[in-house]
Amino acid sequence: MTLAITNLHARVGDEATGKALLNGIDLVVKPGEVHAIMGPNGAGKSTLAKVLAGHDAYAVTAGGATLGGADLLALEPHERVHAGLFVGFQYPVEVPGVVNGEFLRLAYNARAKARNQPEVAAKDWAPKLAEYIRQAEAPEDFAGRGLNAGLSGGQRKRNEILQMVVLDPLVAVLDETDSGLDIDAIKAVARGINAWRRADRSVVLITHFQRLLDLVQPDRVHVLVGGRLVESGGPELSARLEREGYGRWGA
Amino acid sequence: MTDAPSEFSAQDYKYGFSTAVEAETFGAGLDEAKIRRISRSRGEPQFLLDFRLKAYAVWRGMQPPEWASLHYPPIDYDGIQFFSQPKKSGDGTPAYASLADVPKEVLETFEKLGIPLDEQKRLSNVAVDAVFDSVSIATTHQQKLHDAGVIFCSFTEAVHSYPALIERWLGSVVPTADNYFAALNSAVFSDGSFVYIPPYTRCPLELSTYFRINNTEAGQFERTLIVCDEGAQVSYLEGCTAPKTSKHQLHAAVVELVAAQDADIKYSTVQNWYAGDPETGEGGVYNFVTKRGACRGARSRISWTQVEAGSAITWKYPSCILQGDDSVGEFYSVALTNGRMQADTGTKMIHLGRNTRSRIIAKGIAADRSQSTYRGLVQVARKAEGARNFTACDSMLVGKRAEARTYPYIDAQRDDAQIEHEASTSRLSEDQLFYLQARGLSEEDAVAAIVTGFCKDVLDELPLEFAAEARKLLTLKLENSVG
Ligand SMILES: Nc1ncnc2c1ncn2[C@@H]1O[C@H](COP(=O)(O)OP(=O)(O)O)[C@@H](O)[C@H]1O
Ligand SMILES: [Mg+2]
């Protein structure tokens, strides 16, 4: 399934007092591809991820996005997930009182139901989840933890990867999943992503660091500054960015 | 203020309809003559009239309590109808002889509320006593209960059929002078339920009373008394709704539970009285309720579970007097407030016997501009060697304008009493909802997941038939506030 973003403009807030954050993004991610998006803080990277996920703090003012040819932006957030999109957030929120393992079952079943696949009963979930946890290289005790409540920043990122694996998307957008992780955790996350990759699955990695891109090789690297993709290139671009920074785009 | 139920658009309260039934009332306000009239019209024995008159005298000398974190203008007791019942072709007998005598509109009301009373449609494993305004309409499954020796009937019927039991137990747990609202109730109570479980009997059905205020001018003052004899066991549930009105309706109930040695009483409430207009706070039920259980015998157990999701004001502290050695008291509570609702609720655990144990799990969810207060007292008497309590109070705030408070009072006269207290406050935000939606849950499922997670320890205590219903109710209410 191809994710195609065309001339995407978005702002936060209302027309009068709001602020334009995305100013015409064009990006095509084909099945099997790995794209990296890099850029300075405040460039609009997380905004792009949240607009794709359907966060209603942002209004799309022009352009659009399709997933597998269907209008992505016309869907409710949960329908986007059912259509095959997953967005891993830079700052996963805590949801008090919700147990991670039970939540993952609800999420799994919502997706299964949308695909007309059998749902999993509570009693059959534990072994299935254990297998997902193994695949995602997440800590074993994640099933019984809170949904991000009581997890460190790094653990939350690893929980995002676990959610991705459980939800079985075709396009994953991962926003700074590597930030705040030590090198061993980054390696575990990268192994999780690589194990999940397939010819029909694509991933967009939003990152500041070459370290992750050494472990998950991108096909294309894009530079996002001021709500626009100002340059695109092959894997060599990320190494140059790490050396030179974003100064030449005035950032 | 208008007399007719008005339609509020802001929030959908699906039980807000009113049924056009001709009501027989004694007019507004209260005096001794009215109390005599209530008593006479119901053909009550002398002891009950005396009980009422004494309570009325006590009430007149009392002041409404002011210690709760509740704000409301003084209640005009002269404007309240203290007795209201659907009109019938009157021969003066207090209860309906059979379903055939009950006005059709009233039966339809209960059917609309999901409580069909006729033989074909009634709930198969729950015996229901349906109370409409001041009067019990019908009690189902009488034969099966009778075979087990269980008495489950309206209070009115109990007064006539089992006067000795009523005289013995009425006011034995909640004395008339206990508090302002209990005194008022004792003077004017009309109907409610009476339960007696004989020794070593496990009640074969869930017992349930369904209270409906229909007359928009009337207060409801029901009285429930449950006596569980030695080694007996019962699970009882009450549900409540009222029509939408622009006036405040007063509901002042008294519930008394008595558990003999080794007896086990489980009392559950799903309260969804009309909560008033969510924007203006106009209308809604004032719910001032006194509920208390006495664990009189050794190893007895009383467990309160409540889901309080309605009422403009809730003032309610279901309590346990742990008299018998090794007796156990439990309180599991969810209080959901939204709009302009105010809840001041909690429990009292009074440890008198040795090795008595109590457990308090209170969850408060406060949304919009509502206020939620947990107020609890754990008291350990000097004789209560080995007493133990565990209390956990969790509050969840939805939005920025709601308020939650916790007042856990401890009064221990022994140094070796083990009293543990945990408390937490969290916040439910749109970001959390979005996060769950971004993992494939619909908004409704997202709210339900959060509510279920937060309230799990309490919902798990409800009888199965009602747990799903309660979850749906909470989800629906909360969705209105976060959506
Ligand atoms: N919900 C929001 N409300 C107000 N400003 C926002 C909001 N989201 C993002 N912004 C602003 O938009 C800009 C881009 O933010 P973001 O997309 O998070 O950048 P990046 O992820 O590239 O660091 C920043 O200046 C940020 O402050
Ligand atoms: Mg960011």
Side-chain angles (χ1 to χ4, degrees):
Chain A
M1 220 160 35
T2 297
L3 171 69
I5 302 171
T6 314
N7 189 33
L8 185 64
H9 287 69
R11 68 164 147 72
V12 66
D14 58 27
E15 218 175 327
T17 59
K19 184 174 159 198
L21 300 179
L22 300 182
N23 300 305
I25 303 254
D26 287 286
L27 179 66
V28 176
V29 181
K30 297 212 180 85
E33 290 182 347
V34 176
H35 289 240
I37 295 179
M38 306 182 82
N41 283 330
K45 303 183 297 293
S46 294
T47 301
L48 174 62
K50 285 188 269 185
V51 166
L52 291 175
H55 198 300
D56 64 7
Y58 306 96
V60 173
T61 49
T66 60
L67 186 65
D71 184 357
L72 181 69
L73 305 185
L75 302 178
E76 293 290 318
H78 65 286
E79 295 169 335
R80 300 181 191 198
V81 180
H82 302 161
L85 178 72
F86 178 86
V87 177
F89 297 106
Q90 182 176 359
Y91 301 110
V93 296
E94 339 182 348
V95 188
V98 175
V99 177
N100 211 24
E102 180 53 23
F103 162 67
L104 287 167
R105 187 177 74 89
L106 293 177
Y108 177 93
N109 280 345
R111 173 107 213 256
K113 200 168 160 191
R115 288 200 279 199
N116 289 319
Q117 287 171 354
E119 297 179 43
V120 182
K123 63 176 176 34
D124 302 326
W125 179 240
K128 217 171 151 69
L129 179 58
E131 176 56 24
Y132 285 128
I133 287 175
R134 201 189 52 73
Q135 269 177 42
E137 296 216 15
E140 274 172 30
D141 67 350
F142 266 28
R145 301 294 294 268
L147 176 47
N148 296 330
L151 298 192
S152 69
Q155 287 173 319
R156 292 180 191 191
K157 300 298 181 62
R158 300 183 68 175
N159 207 18
E160 296 287 286
I161 297 295
L162 173 59
Q163 292 171 7
M164 175 185 82
V165 168
V166 168
L167 283 167
D168 184 28
L170 290 166
V171 179
V173 177
L174 302 178
D175 188 4
E176 296 205 28
T177 304
D178 53 340
S179 296
L181 296 186
D182 61 37
I183 188 68
D184 289 332
I186 290 180
K187 282 181 180 163
V189 163
R191 282 195 302 271
I193 296 171
N194 284 327
W196 166 82
R197 285 186 61 195
R198 253 178 9 200
D200 60 344
R201 287 173 174 163
S202 51
V203 56
V204 178
L205 298 172
I206 297 171
T207 181
H208 286 294
F209 305 108
Q210 183 62 33
R211 279 184 310 202
L212 180 67
L213 301 181
D214 288 339
L215 298 165
V216 185
Q217 293 275 320
D219 300 292
R220 300 289 293 165
V221 176
H222 311 274
V223 183
L224 200 160
V225 178
R228 276 187 202 88
L229 296 183
V230 292
E231 188 167 338
S232 295
E236 74 289 346
L237 179 55
S238 64
R240 201 183 87 209
L241 289 170
E242 191 154 79
R243 267 197 326 274
E244 296 174 7
Y246 305 99
R248 65 199 191 95
W249 292 286
Chain B
M1 293 211 218
T2 59
D3 293 348
S6 61
E7 290 302 316
F8 297 117
S9 52
Q11 190 187 22
D12 200 22
Y13 177 71
K14 80 171 175 174
Y15 306 107
F17 62 90
S18 168
T19 307
V21 179
E22 234 192 301
E24 181 185 354
T25 71
F26 292 167
L30 194 58
D31 53 35
E32 211 178 288
K34 272 204 188 91
I35 290 173
R36 287 181 187 279
R37 236 180 110 190
I38 292 175
S39 191
R40 194 177 336 116
S41 84
R42 302 158 58 77
E44 288 178 353
Q46 185 65 36
F47 83 84
L48 203 47
L49 176 61
D50 294 344
F51 179 88
R52 290 179 185 280
L53 291 174
K54 191 180 133 225
Y56 177 65
V58 167
W59 178 69
R60 291 211 11 195
M62 291 176 96
Q63 293 299 318
E66 280 172 0
W67 42 262
S69 302
L70 300 170
H71 305 280
Y72 58 96
I75 295 171
D76 172 19
Y77 290 91
D78 293 332
I80 294 172
Q81 287 173 5
F82 285 86
F83 185 75
S84 167
Q85 68 177 2
K87 216 171 200 137
K88 53 190 165 121
S89 40
D91 56 359
T93 50
Y96 298 101
S98 79
L99 275 182
D101 301 338
V102 178
K104 194 167 100 279
E105 300 84 356
V106 174
L107 289 180
E108 282 168 4
T109 301
F110 281 100
E111 185 139 5
K112 249 199 218 169
L113 295 168
I115 328 273
L117 297 174
D118 63 75
E119 293 284 325
Q120 284 86 44
K121 295 186 212 149
R122 67 186 189 185
L123 301 168
S124 65
N125 47 352
V126 183
V128 178
D129 182 18
V131 179
F132 192 85
D133 287 340
S134 303
V135 169
S136 170
I137 298 302
T139 310
T140 63
H141 291 287
Q142 282 299 333
Q143 192 56 46
K144 191 162 178 189
L145 295 171
H146 185 262
D147 292 347
V150 169
I151 301 171
F152 175 41
C153 63
S154 70
F155 211 91
T156 305
E157 193 184 329
V159 167
H160 289 89
S161 305
Y162 314 101
L165 288 176
I166 299 295
E167 186 168 9
R168 173 161 178 210
W169 298 111
L170 182 68
S172 69
V173 185
V174 178
T176 302
D178 186 80
N179 68 70
Y180 186 80
F181 298 104
L184 175 61
N185 173 285
S186 300
V188 303
F189 74 87
S190 37
D191 219 336
S193 296
F194 173 68
V195 175
Y196 173 76
I197 315 288
Y200 305 100
T201 303
R202 174 175 270 268
C203 186
L205 295 159
E206 294 276 348
L207 303 183
S208 166
T209 301
Y210 201 90
F211 294 101
R212 168 77 179 171
I213 301 179
N214 192 64
N215 183 332
T216 56
E217 301 283 293
Q220 182 149 327
F221 306 92
E222 85 264 4
R223 188 96 194 182
T224 296
L225 173 57
I226 299 178
V227 179
C228 205
D229 218 322
E230 229 166 83
Q233 184 259 347
V234 67
S235 169
Y236 176 94
L237 183 128
E238 60 170 352
C240 344
T241 64
K244 289 181 183 184
T245 69
S246 53
K247 277 195 175 179
H248 293 290
Q249 291 167 295
L250 179 62
H251 173 253
V254 171
V255 175
E256 298 178 278
L257 312 182
V258 181
Q261 186 172 305
D262 293 306
D264 184 335
I265 303 177
K266 186 175 175 60
Y267 191 107
S268 313
T269 304
V270 176
Q271 185 262 109
N272 188 26
W273 298 118
Y274 177 54
D277 183 273
E279 292 303 321
T280 63
E282 195 180 48
V285 170
Y286 284 172
N287 192 33
F288 294 94
V289 172
T290 306
K291 289 182 166 170
R292 193 170 304 153
C295 283
R296 296 255 194 260
R299 296 173 302 279
S300 56
R301 174 170 167 262
I302 289 178
S303 178
W304 298 99
T305 304
Q306 61 173 20
V307 174
E308 300 287 321
S311 294
I313 287 179
T314 299
W315 179 97
K316 184 182 167 190
Y317 315 90
S319 303
C320 297
I321 301 168
L322 303 170
Q323 236 169 330
D325 290 347
D326 300 293
S327 61
V328 177
E330 294 172 325
F331 176 72
Y332 297 96
S333 170
V334 172
L336 171 73
T337 53
N338 62 0
R340 307 296 300 261
M341 289 164 67
Q342 306 174 53
D344 193 302
T345 184
T347 184
K348 285 190 250 179
M349 294 291 175
I350 313 294
H351 293 257
L352 301 175
R354 278 180 299 172
N355 298 318
T356 45
R357 277 166 294 149
S358 62
R359 184 176 167 81
I360 300 170
I361 308 284
K363 310 276 181 182
I365 304 174
D368 305 327
R369 274 186 285 173
S370 69
Q371 309 217 348
S372 179
T373 300
Y374 168 81
R375 190 182 302 276
L377 170 65
V378 177
Q379 202 169 57
V380 178
R382 210 179 307 280
K383 297 168 301 185
E385 182 190 336
R388 272 184 291 162
N389 162 267
F390 173 77
T391 300
C393 298
D394 300 308
S395 308
M396 184 161 79
L397 295 169
V398 182
K400 295 209 163 53
R401 292 186 298 176
E403 289 174 29
R405 302 184 195 86
T406 310
Y407 299 111
Y409 303 101
I410 295 170
D411 170 14
Q413 296 183 21
R414 293 187 64 95
D415 293 338
D416 61 352
Q418 285 182 44
I419 299 175
E420 264 181 87
H421 180 84
E422 290 174 4
S424 77
T425 301
S426 58
R427 209 171 263 284
L428 170 67
S429 65
E430 279 182 45
D431 276 336
Q432 289 162 343
L433 274 188
F434 169 70
Y435 184 65
L436 299 192
Q437 289 173 274
R439 297 298 172 256
L441 271 56
S442 65
E443 180 172 298
E444 188 186 335
D445 288 346
V447 172
I450 290 170
V451 169
T452 306
F454 183 71
C455 304
K456 185 172 187 304
D457 296 344
V458 176
L459 295 178
D460 283 353
E461 293 297 321
L462 281 178
L464 216 54
E465 289 84 358
F466 300 98
E469 192 73 26
R471 191 171 295 129
K472 236 187 285 168
L473 173 64
L474 294 172
T475 300
L476 192 84
K477 288 236 161 183
L478 202 51
E479 240 188 309
N480 283 328
S481 298
V482 285

